[in-house]
Amino acid sequence: QKEVEQDPGPLSVPEGAIVSLNCTYSNSAFQYFMWYRQYSRKGPELLMYTYSSGNKEDGRFTAQVDKSSKYISLFIRDSQPSDSATYLCAMGRNRDDKIIFGKGTRLHILP
Amino acid sequence: DADVTQTPRNRITKTGKRIMLECSQTKGHDRMYWYRQDPGLGLRLIYYSFDVKDINKGEISDGYSVSRQAQAKFSLSLESAIPNQTALYFCATSDAHSTDTQYFGPGTRLTVL
């Protein structure tokens, strides 16, 4: 079993819809959970960061962590065509350890 | 100017050639990383360095070497390039207290014929 699993998509949704992106993981030692967004021909950039379990909201984006299920989610409300990108989950055990990325989910928001 | 720069941005080379990819950063970060990205395989860590005297192998270091010339510079070398090293290569940095918030360069697209 891979440490981090993420459906590669592509996922196509109409503009204005709520998008749900997910990752599962196997290592219960992970404490830090991140979502990176990567536009075409660009490097990834940090979108959301969560420590341990719970929810974190930033504008239209909500990151959710369920450590008991080893499952993390990113919700995008009122999706826009500009949200079309690849979203990579990432996680780490502590702030001195390397982080492990998921393979990324390609998201297309249809105008 | 970009905080993390990579040179070259694109490179086509032949099997057996030695290639160096360079990364420079102006963020003042101690930690630097090299990743490769392949379709269907995601981002995989090649090497990372927590300071100038610290170099660590990542998930897929075979066939690669690195040099941390200064705090701001971290280069990746392919001693004898092979076609399956064709990929998109990213350099990233993070500050001394975390690995979770990484800042990525624009990437180098390398093709080995």
Side-chain angles (χ1 to χ4, degrees):
Chain A
Q1 182 183 10
K2 292 190 182 299
E3 278 197 292
V4 180
E5 301 269 14
Q6 184 176 11
D7 188 330
L11 178 64
S12 296
V13 299
E15 182 176 357
I18 296 175
V19 175
S20 172
L21 304 168
N22 311 291
C23 287
T24 59
Y25 63 95
S26 58
N27 190 340
S28 58
F30 287 143
Q31 298 273 23
Y32 294 87
F33 303 92
M34 288 72 67
W35 286 94
Y36 281 78
R37 178 175 61 195
Q38 184 178 18
Y39 289 115
S40 181
R41 298 188 178 86
K42 301 283 188 183
E45 57 180 348
L46 182 67
L47 184 63
M48 296 285 285
Y49 167 97
T50 310
Y51 172 71
S52 196
S53 284
N55 293 0
K56 186 173 184 178
E57 189 173 321
D58 184 2
R60 297 184 295 110
F61 299 89
T62 299
Q64 198 170 78
V65 175
D66 182 350
K67 291 188 71 179
S68 62
S69 301
K70 298 190 180 69
Y71 189 88
I72 69 170
S73 301
L74 177 71
F75 297 96
I76 307 175
R77 292 184 299 281
D78 188 24
S79 55
Q80 305 294 311
S82 59
D83 295 326
S84 297
T86 296
Y87 291 79
L88 302 101
C89 63
M91 45 199 81
R93 295 178 299 179
N94 58 63
R95 306 195 85 184
D96 283 327
D97 196 16
K98 57 187 183 295
I99 61 175
I100 308 296
F101 284 87
K103 294 181 180 180
T105 299
R106 285 174 52 205
L107 174 66
H108 299 289
I109 306 299
L110 306 172
Chain B
D1 288 341
D3 294 320
V4 184
T5 57
Q6 292 183 236
T7 56
R9 294 294 311 279
N10 291 281
R11 182 73 184 266
I12 300 173
T13 191
K14 295 182 178 180
T15 297
K17 294 291 188 182
R18 185 178 188 274
I19 296 297
M20 180 181 284
L21 308 183
E22 298 186 339
C23 177
S24 294
Q25 52 113 347
T26 57
K27 297 190 74 66
H29 287 166
D30 286 320
R31 299 181 175 187
M32 299 186 74
Y33 313 80
W34 275 105
Y35 293 90
R36 65 177 279 177
Q37 188 173 40
D38 300 90
L41 295 178
L43 270 173
R44 293 182 291 167
L45 184 62
I46 305 172
Y47 272 96
Y48 61 106
S49 169
F50 280 5
D51 64 42
V52 174
K53 296 182 180 179
D54 176 76
I55 302 287
N56 303 282
K57 292 183 177 181
E59 182 184 351
I60 52 163
S61 58
D62 287 349
Y64 301 94
S65 62
V66 291
S67 173
R68 185 80 185 267
Q69 299 96 323
Q71 186 205 36
K73 296 184 181 297
F74 192 34
S75 60
L76 175 73
S77 293
L78 287 68
E79 298 300 327
S80 180
I82 56 177
N84 77 0
Q85 290 177 314
T86 293
L88 190 53
Y89 290 85
F90 287 103
C91 173
T93 74
S94 67
D95 72 24
H97 304 292
S98 69
T99 59
D100 42 73
T101 304
Q102 295 187 14
Y103 297 85
F104 284 79
T108 294
R109 185 167 296 280
L110 177 66
T111 302
V112 183
L113 302 176

